[in-house]
Amino acid sequence: MKPSPNAILVLMATSLLYRRATAFVPSIIKRGAATASTASLATSTGFTTTSGRCSQITPFVAVTCRAFGSTPVVSLGSTASSEEATEAASASSLYPFKEIEAKWQAYWDENNTFQTPERNPDKKKKYVLDMFPYPSGAGLHVGHPEGYTASDAMARYWRMKGYDVLHPMGWDSFGLPAEQYAINTGAQPADTTAKNIATFKRQLKMLGFSYDWDREIATTDINYVKWTQWIFLQLYKKGLAEQSYVSVNWCPALGTVLANEEVINGLSERGDHPVERLPLRQWVLKITDYADRLEAGLEGLDWPAGTMTSQQQWIGKSEGCNADFMVDGSDDGDKISVFTTRADTLMGVTYVTLAPEHPLVSKVTTDEQRQQVEEYVTATSSRSDLDRTSSKEKTGVFTGGYAIHPLSGEKVPIWVGDYVLGSYGTGAVMAVPAHDERDFEFALKYGLDVKRVVKPLDEKLDKDENEPFTDEGVLFNSGDFDGLSTKEAKKTISQKLQGLEKGGPQTTYKLRDWVFSRQRYWGEPIPIYFPVEFPEGVDPEKADPKADDCEHTIRYDKPIPVDEADLPLELPLMDNFQPGNDPSGCLARAKDWRYFQKDGKWFARETNTMPQWAGSCWYYFRYADPKNSEAAFSSKADEDWMPVDLYIGGSEHAVLHLLYARFWHQVLYDLGFTKHPEPFQKLVHQGMILGIDGEKMSKSRGNVINPDDVVDEQGADALRLYEMFMGPLEAVKPWQTSQVAGVSRFQTKLYNVVKTAAANDVKTMSDETARLLHKTMKKVTEDMDAMSFNTAISAMMVLTNHLQSLKDKVPREAAEKLALMVSPIAPHLGEECWNILGHKESLAYEPWVEYVKELCIDSTIKMGVQVNGKVRGEIEIAKDADQETAMAEAMKQSKIEAQLEGKQVKKIIYVPGRILNIVAK
């Protein structure tokens, strides 16, 4: 009977899965033998075909192969019928996951199994680190354990490979979300944070992660705060922390500064409150001093290419030159400095544009234009930088003033425009509308001059003069520079400006200095204080700045660092820590904490706090030495464990966290506190697990899956196995709760295979089983090294199916190797199987499996036989069999013999190990 189209599609998908997941099995699909191989796979996985349709799959279902790049994602089904489930249960014991997981978690705790060892100089080390979580009130959802499971599998694997392993966990527990949650619930942030940490820790322990809990830290622990403040002081002493008046997005209603991404059309993203652009006193970390180092340090790191590119783009190194345009008529010698990467177009400048916040806007504006300019500046000030740069429509106003071209001496008009940012570059741009699309659109809109100064090298390619020419070319209309190529002109014009002291070669960066202040309560206090002065004639010893009617001045221009011996500087306990409309922050209301006397003088503490990023900039160091009361970490701890060998976390941290942490690390390196120039050697981003609706999991969408429910119904190992089997670790994958049952049935099957082996104690092993075992050990080892967990699990599934088919003849050795291989991903299952086989100690430090290379090579192969290009049969021969042998085996088959009856063989096409095609007429 001709199979239906649906059956053909299922068989094709099955064939693809078979090739990817079991390429190491002797019955690998070969060209011309798809039918036989598919039938073989159907037998091994539980596929059966009836009347051209594919039946339910038992014990696990490979329903679809959905491509992520070139790697299929295998989805598991749970559609086994009740009859099949009953039959399976009667033939074997169900896996008692609740009892077994509780048993081994208690064992690990009681025996401190995963305590970090003292470093053995004769061993190599692996520092395996997760990006530590922010402990929210909602707890974990099933997307969170994906990265933790991957890192835990590698930590367990490397312990078995003989490495000293450091695998810690802690909590990024400061920050605005924790404070807002406490405000909403009417509790103290310290209390809600402790409660949330307890929930997270319970969930992580429930999943059997092999963390060394003796090294647990939280950024809110006062002993941790002490050393975060200490590092800030090192930055301050090195001149990398300073105060600056920075134009920020201030939201009075929320009482805090907002990031550009949090402001939409002049309103806060949360609450739609008005946002103002105000210059506020802020602490700033001079990360720009390390721009070159941060870019150069990426070389040699094993990071995702996309993350490397993101960091490079964020740093945004540009080679070009500065040009100074003197302000026409200025008595003070005012000049407008601009940066350009296209110095070759300098002679085509027809106007200059200033950012609305540029300090010269008011000075260059004429009386006739002042009202219009001021109204425009006011309207623009409410918009965020992101809003201004992302808007397609660029607007501006003529100031009435003019600037002098540095080379031609011509006057060019000065405009103010919203597309120029005061926080980027010099806050001014030279406009060359003939060679820049943005400048061209602006010039057309406002009727400004367009002057072409660069043309294509091949004039036949010259574009319409009504369009800007933005490519490189040759200069004309540029005086002494006519005829120079773009490359030559850039260098020549830069040198000319330098000789005239009107600019010159310059390297700039998109990277801005890090605004480090937050006007909120729940953060590390910045360990700085300032002198307090009183009006002349007031006795400081009798004055009290805490009193509302006490006139005084805080001298912010005279910052004093807290003495290191006086650290930590703790937060005061406040009943009301809600933000207010005072940019000094809510700590300004804690007057008993803010003001203090020392040596008869009054001082005021800094009331801004550090951002949440601070604690996560160095936590990996503290894990290596968490109990040290004398230092943030010792030189021995640095030498023993740094750098981090594997760092796993979400790609949303590709820039900020990773860039800030690298900055702090490089500073500590320069100060001699670490011997390692970079903190994270290998970085992996786990892919996002979406909700069942294909959307990002969130409470608002109602698609969050709680791991507690999955563990209660299927077990922790089932959750771990499923998340590692869904597809490549880096891929985005949709969650399907119903499919967890598939891996649950796999672990039940493996459990029963091991019980059978223990009961019968079979010492011998067939050649077929030995070869499959060693191929599986090779495959799983290679996949673990590559973190290809999905294909490692597939390999173990195939081996388990084979061992099950042996019934009571399961070799003990094969069962032991299988228990060891499955344990990094399903540790409770692995431990229990190891115990069933008679071992009394944990397998956590048992040597990893070793395969024999010779047994991984097939002595024979199966190969399709074609007659006139069509598959007519299959033979099994030695890999290196000659043509005569292959033909002799083929002619033994009645189907082949029938096809050749009455015909003369004209040609034989034989490629050893690949194809035998008999051409006959």
Side-chain angles (χ1 to χ4, degrees):
M1 179 182 292
K2 183 178 180 179
S4 70
N6 285 341
I8 292 172
L9 287 172
V10 170
L11 290 173
M12 289 173 64
T14 305
S15 176
L16 174 62
L17 168 60
Y18 183 76
R19 290 197 301 271
R20 293 302 301 241
T22 63
F24 55 95
V25 181
S27 55
I28 183 170
I29 292 176
K30 296 296 181 182
R31 188 178 305 160
T35 303
S37 297
T38 301
S40 174
L41 175 63
T43 301
S44 69
T45 61
F47 265 114
T48 58
T49 56
T50 306
S51 300
R53 296 181 62 84
C54 183
S55 75
Q56 305 288 354
I57 304 168
T58 305
F60 72 96
V61 188
V63 180
T64 59
C65 288
R66 185 159 52 80
F68 283 94
S70 61
T71 307
V73 172
V74 182
S75 298
L76 294 181
S78 61
T79 55
S81 66
S82 58
E83 293 83 359
E84 289 171 319
T86 302
E87 181 182 349
S90 65
S92 59
S93 302
L94 291 175
Y95 176 60
F97 63 84
K98 287 189 176 180
E99 171 190 331
I100 288 171
E101 289 175 359
K103 166 187 171 181
W104 287 105
Q105 288 171 21
Y107 176 93
W108 296 329
D109 279 347
E110 290 168 7
N111 291 275
N112 213 0
T113 303
F114 307 114
Q115 183 178 38
T116 306
E118 288 292 324
R119 282 288 288 117
N120 183 339
D122 296 329
K123 284 186 175 184
K124 294 181 179 180
K125 64 91 180 176
K126 289 290 185 182
Y127 185 172
V128 185
L129 182 63
D130 298 296
M131 291 185 184
F132 65 170
Y134 159 70
S136 68
L140 296 174
H141 63 61
V142 292
H144 292 115
E146 182 187 18
Y148 304 152
T149 302
S151 67
D152 190 63
M154 296 309 297
R156 289 175 177 274
Y157 170 65
W158 279 325
R159 288 190 192 99
M160 298 172 79
K161 292 281 281 185
Y163 289 90
D164 282 344
V165 173
L166 170 58
H167 187 39
M169 176 51 73
W171 319 103
D172 191 11
S173 43
F174 268 129
L176 180 58
E179 179 177 327
Q180 199 61 48
Y181 180 77
I183 291 173
N184 295 340
T185 57
Q188 284 288 330
D191 296 334
T192 58
T193 298
K195 181 179 178 182
N196 294 344
I197 286 174
T199 298
F200 267 63
K201 185 173 181 178
R202 174 190 62 77
Q203 290 180 306
L204 293 180
K205 297 194 77 168
M206 167 189 75
L207 292 168
F209 296 131
S210 61
Y211 296 125
D212 179 356
W213 287 108
D214 287 345
R215 292 175 180 256
E216 177 185 8
I217 61 174
T219 56
T220 48
D221 291 344
I222 194 59
N223 288 329
Y224 189 89
V225 170
K226 171 181 178 178
W227 297 109
T228 303
Q229 293 173 335
W230 176 84
I231 294 174
F232 175 87
L233 292 180
Q234 309 316 305
L235 291 163
Y236 177 80
K237 293 173 183 177
K238 191 173 170 59
L240 295 170
E242 64 181 19
Q243 296 176 94
S244 177
Y245 278 85
V246 178
S247 184
V248 296
N249 304 311
W250 169 252
C251 180
L254 296 177
T256 194
V257 169
L258 299 178
N260 287 327
E261 293 79 5
E262 298 172 310
V263 182
I264 301 174
N265 295 325
L267 300 176
S268 63
E269 182 181 32
R270 181 164 54 87
D272 290 332
H273 301 296
V275 174
E276 305 170 20
R277 292 285 292 179
L278 295 178
L280 294 183
R281 182 185 62 85
Q282 303 278 287
W283 280 96
V284 173
L285 300 188
K286 298 171 69 175
I287 191 173
T288 52
D289 285 10
Y290 278 71
D292 274 329
R293 290 266 301 280
L294 289 168
E295 182 176 57
L298 295 170
E299 184 72 28
L301 298 181
D302 185 3
W303 284 24
T307 300
M308 303 271 268
T309 299
S310 294
Q311 292 230 341
Q312 289 165 345
Q313 290 176 343
W314 193 267
I315 294 167
K317 183 176 182 179
S318 295
E319 300 284 353
C321 82
N322 268 355
D324 296 334
F325 290 72
M326 302 304 295
V327 175
D328 184 41
S330 172
D331 295 331
D332 300 324
D334 292 321
K335 63 183 179 183
I336 299 171
S337 293
V338 301
F339 172 81
T340 179
T341 59
R342 290 294 304 270
D344 58 313
T345 66
L346 182 60
M347 300 305 291
V349 173
T350 60
Y351 63 96
V352 173
T353 307
L354 303 180
E357 50 274 290
H358 195 288
L360 287 179
V361 168
S362 180
K363 293 188 71 173
V364 302
T365 299
T366 62
D367 292 340
E368 293 79 9
Q369 293 293 112
R370 190 165 301 282
Q371 181 178 349
Q372 188 178 4
V373 169
E374 288 178 351
E375 289 175 354
Y376 179 80
V377 170
T378 300
T380 307
S381 66
S382 65
R383 299 172 62 197
S384 71
D385 290 354
L386 184 65
D387 185 28
R388 283 162 55 183
T389 55
S390 61
S391 175
K392 291 184 178 180
E393 183 181 5
K394 310 304 180 187
T395 65
V397 175
F398 178 43
T399 64
Y402 290 84
I404 308 299
H405 192 288
L407 296 182
S408 70
E410 296 177 354
K411 293 182 181 180
V412 294
I414 303 172
W415 282 65
V416 56
D418 59 358
Y419 64 92
V420 184
L421 304 178
S423 60
Y424 182 68
T426 64
V429 298
M430 66 179 211
V432 189
H435 304 290
D436 182 275
E437 291 181 358
R438 181 190 60 186
D439 295 344
F440 184 77
E441 292 173 3
F442 193 89
L444 285 184
K445 181 175 182 178
Y446 293 106
L448 298 169
D449 291 342
V450 177
K451 179 183 178 182
R452 299 191 78 201
V453 294
V454 180
K455 60 185 178 181
L457 291 171
D458 185 350
E459 295 196 17
K460 294 179 182 179
L461 301 177
D462 203 357
K463 293 183 178 180
D464 186 343
E465 291 194 9
N466 292 322
E467 295 291 332
F469 175 69
T470 58
D471 297 334
E472 294 188 353
V474 62
L475 270 64
F476 76 108
N477 209 14
S478 299
D480 294 341
F481 309 109
D482 285 354
L484 295 179
S485 68
T486 289
K487 183 178 180 180
E488 294 168 335
K490 284 182 178 181
K491 182 177 180 180
T492 302
I493 291 175
S494 293
Q495 291 175 342
K496 180 74 171 179
L497 289 168
Q498 188 174 34
L500 294 172
E501 296 186 349
K502 293 182 179 180
Q506 182 75 28
T507 300
T508 65
Y509 301 89
K510 182 180 177 183
L511 180 67
R512 301 292 91 199
D513 281 333
W514 178 7
V515 178
F516 198 68
S517 298
R518 296 295 182 269
Q519 295 72 39
R520 302 294 295 219
Y521 173 69
W522 196 234
E524 300 92 340
I526 294 176
I528 296 289
Y529 60 98
F530 309 93
V532 174
E533 295 183 354
F534 302 93
E536 188 175 349
V538 175
D539 185 354
E541 294 189 5
K542 296 181 179 179
D544 185 0
K546 293 179 287 185
D548 292 338
D549 60 351
C550 179
E551 183 180 350
H552 64 280
T553 301
I554 299 174
R555 294 298 302 270
Y556 292 114
D557 58 330
K558 297 181 178 181
I560 306 169
V562 172
D563 194 289
E564 291 181 11
D566 293 332
L567 296 178
L569 173 60
E570 299 188 47
L571 283 170
L573 184 64
M574 297 181 69
D575 293 329
N576 177 17
F577 48 84
Q578 294 196 31
N581 57 9
D582 183 356
S584 297
C586 64
L587 285 176
R589 302 197 299 267
K591 294 187 176 181
D592 287 339
W593 175 86
R594 184 185 193 185
Y595 295 101
F596 67 96
Q597 281 185 300
K598 183 179 180 180
D599 299 328
K601 298 179 180 179
W602 279 99
F603 299 91
R605 291 191 172 97
E606 174 61 71
T607 56
N608 285 325
T609 54
M610 298 187 198
Q612 188 173 359
W613 304 109
S616 62
C617 278
W618 73 283
Y619 71 112
Y620 54 90
F621 273 126
R622 192 62 176 172
Y623 280 140
D625 199 5
K627 310 298 183 185
N628 195 331
S629 60
E630 303 300 321
F633 55 92
S634 67
S635 59
K636 184 179 186 304
D638 174 67
E639 185 174 351
D640 282 349
W641 294 111
M642 290 303 294
V644 174
D645 297 286
L646 175 62
Y647 196 27
I648 298 182
S651 60
E652 66 272 18
H653 300 297
V655 176
L656 296 182
H657 158 62
L658 289 168
L659 199 63
Y660 293 157
R662 292 181 60 228
F663 166 49
W664 278 35
H665 187 99
Q666 289 182 3
V667 173
L668 292 172
Y669 174 78
D670 287 349
L671 293 173
F673 293 110
T674 176
K675 295 181 178 179
H676 310 280
E678 287 288 335
F680 314 119
Q681 189 59 38
K682 180 178 178 63
L683 174 69
V684 173
H685 296 309
Q686 77 276 12
M688 184 179 296
I689 293 182
L690 305 176
I692 57 175
D693 55 359
E695 300 289 339
K696 181 178 179 180
M697 287 191 191
S698 70
K699 286 173 30 178
S700 62
R701 292 192 180 98
N703 63 353
V704 172
I705 305 296
N706 191 326
D708 290 18
D709 299 333
V710 180
V711 171
D712 184 62
E713 294 173 9
Q714 306 284 357
D717 280 347
L719 175 62
R720 291 172 61 124
L721 282 164
Y722 175 60
E723 294 206 350
M724 294 300 96
F725 193 57
M726 292 173 76
L729 180 62
E730 299 85 354
V732 177
K733 304 164 281 280
W735 176 268
Q736 296 292 337
T737 299
S738 60
Q739 295 177 5
V740 182
V743 289
S744 182
R745 287 192 292 273
F746 159 63
Q747 65 178 1
T748 293
K749 180 188 292 187
L750 190 152
Y751 172 70
N752 282 294
V753 162
V754 170
K755 286 180 66 178
T756 300
N760 294 285
D761 201 27
V762 175
K763 297 290 200 302
T764 59
M765 194 182 311
S766 68
D767 182 70
E768 179 188 9
T769 299
R771 289 184 179 278
L772 178 56
L773 173 62
H774 283 265
K775 289 175 185 176
T776 304
M777 291 192 292
K778 179 177 185 292
K779 173 69 173 168
V780 172
T781 300
E782 291 172 350
D783 285 346
M784 290 297 295
D785 286 333
M787 299 181 69
S788 298
F789 304 110
N790 56 328
T791 50
I793 294 170
S794 295
M796 289 185 281
M797 286 177 168
V798 172
L799 176 61
T800 302
N801 285 338
H802 173 79
L803 295 179
Q804 186 188 47
S805 72
L806 302 179
K807 298 182 179 179
D808 60 353
K809 303 298 183 185
V810 177
R812 181 185 185 85
E813 180 187 352
E816 286 190 335
K817 302 301 186 187
L818 183 57
L820 291 169
M821 285 189 287
V822 80
S823 66
I825 303 174
H828 310 88
L829 175 63
E831 291 275 24
E832 184 65 16
C833 289
W834 191 248
N835 186 248
I836 288 171
L837 290 165
H839 302 282
K840 302 304 181 185
E841 300 296 327
S842 167
L843 56 58
Y845 296 93
E846 285 295 317
W848 182 251
V849 298
E850 294 185 2
Y851 57 86
V852 177
K853 291 182 180 179
E854 290 74 17
L855 291 176
C856 298
I857 302 171
D858 290 324
S859 58
T860 63
I861 59 166
K862 290 182 179 181
M863 185 171 64
V865 179
Q866 299 178 5
V867 176
N868 294 330
K870 293 185 178 181
V871 177
R872 299 301 184 183
E874 186 180 65
I875 59 175
E876 184 170 352
I877 57 176
K879 286 185 65 175
D880 56 352
D882 58 19
Q883 180 175 304
E884 183 179 352
T885 303
M887 280 296 296
E889 287 297 318
M891 295 308 294
K892 291 178 182 179
Q893 297 196 14
S894 58
K895 288 183 180 180
I896 304 297
E897 194 173 32
Q899 288 290 322
L900 295 175
E901 187 176 353
K903 298 177 183 179
Q904 183 178 357
V905 175
K906 296 292 185 180
K907 186 178 181 181
I908 299 173
I909 303 172
Y910 178 63
V911 179
R914 297 188 62 185
I915 189 172
L916 173 59
N917 185 15
I918 306 169
V919 181
K921 291 185 180 180

